[in-house]
Amino acid sequence: MAISALAFTFLNAFVKSLGTFSVYQIVFFRSAGSLVFTIPFLLKNKISLLGNKRGLLVLRSVFGLTSMTLFFLSLKYIPMGTAVSLRYIAPIFAAFFALLFLKENVKLLQWLFFAIAFAGVLVLKGLDTELKIQGILFALVSAVFAGLVYITIRKIGDKDHPVVVVNYFMVISTVIGGLLSINNWTMPVGKQWFILLSLGIFGYFAQLYMTKAMQVGETNQVAPLKYLEVIFTIVIGLFWFQEVYTLWSLAGILLIILGLTLNISIKKPK
């Protein structure tokens, strides 16, 4: 999950730098680029592209596509670190969904720590008046769908290879992203081609290692480790994009990280 968080960080930075492109075109390039890795891997290792849990694979892909699109949209309105912080309260939703659908145990103390993290969201939303409400809403709804992604992957379990799971996501995202970007297509020039094509590389490794992590570990224990992406992204945002964070923004982000970190401390693998 730590490797996944680092890869997602670079993906976030490149998406942020492509602000003049349609979000659907970014989704298209990010997804199509990953297919260069996933399809040859599956063919070489004689792994069925269709998979076993096909209904769940499609469902995971739709959840993932929705979450990714909304998150990319949020980057157009609010700083990267804030967007990532809001999106990655997803473990709260993941724990709730896991309790309902997977019957995983969630300790009472964990809910207290999740409440601390959610308090950080309230601080960001209510006290940082410089944040645009559109960006906050996009990131929050993205988090809900990310939580659904986590439990869907857990439901798939080891019945499908991680690359099969990622490949489904990329195929569906490429088709839908491509169709929706036709009317607002912008022709890349110069280094924009390199940035757009690199999205698939970082996205592939980020998704692959996230999927592996979710398949081998309990949702409540593994998912919170994605908060590392918040730290990585804030640092890059400050130095690359000269993003400004108010004291209230930093306080909210710290509360989110604190809540998720405390959750990890009591949820040790058996």
Side-chain angles (χ1 to χ4, degrees), residues 98-269:
L99 180 65
L100 287 180
F101 302 116
L102 303 182
K103 308 304 180 184
E104 291 185 3
N105 294 324
V106 182
K107 298 178 181 179
L108 182 61
L109 196 55
Q110 283 183 270
W111 292 115
L112 173 61
F113 296 153
F114 285 146
I116 293 174
F118 197 75
V121 177
L122 297 179
V123 169
L124 284 172
K125 181 181 182 297
L127 298 178
D128 190 344
T129 56
E130 296 184 14
L131 291 179
K132 295 183 179 179
I133 189 63
Q134 302 101 309
I136 293 175
L137 290 176
F138 285 143
L140 284 175
V141 179
S142 172
V144 174
F145 281 95
L148 290 169
V149 167
Y150 293 152
I151 66 151
T152 308
I153 291 175
R154 287 286 292 150
K155 193 70 175 176
I156 294 171
D158 59 0
K159 297 299 188 297
D160 279 297
H161 192 283
V163 179
V164 173
V165 180
V166 173
N167 190 65
Y168 256 83
F169 178 27
M170 294 300 97
V171 169
I172 290 176
S173 297
T174 298
V175 172
I176 295 179
L179 290 175
L180 293 178
S181 65
I182 291 176
N183 291 333
N184 295 296
W185 184 270
T186 299
M187 184 58 64
V189 294
K191 66 178 182 180
Q192 289 177 339
W193 278 109
F194 168 79
I195 295 175
L196 284 166
L197 294 175
S198 70
L199 296 180
I201 299 175
F202 288 112
Y204 169 73
F205 287 104
Q207 285 293 331
L208 175 62
Y209 282 98
M210 184 190 77
T211 300
K212 284 189 174 185
M214 296 306 301
Q215 287 184 319
V216 300
E218 286 190 26
T219 305
N220 298 328
Q221 191 269 327
V222 176
L225 286 173
K226 288 192 67 62
Y227 84 88
L228 289 171
E229 184 184 343
V230 177
I231 299 174
F232 299 152
T233 305
I234 287 176
V235 172
I236 289 183
L238 287 171
F239 290 98
W240 186 350
F241 298 99
Q242 288 76 51
E243 292 181 334
V244 176
Y245 293 88
T246 67
L247 289 178
W248 286 121
S249 284
L250 294 176
I253 290 170
L254 285 174
L255 281 173
I256 292 172
I257 293 176
L258 175 63
L260 297 181
T261 305
L262 289 172
N263 175 67
I264 295 172
S265 69
I266 66 167
K267 189 66 178 178
K268 300 296 183 181

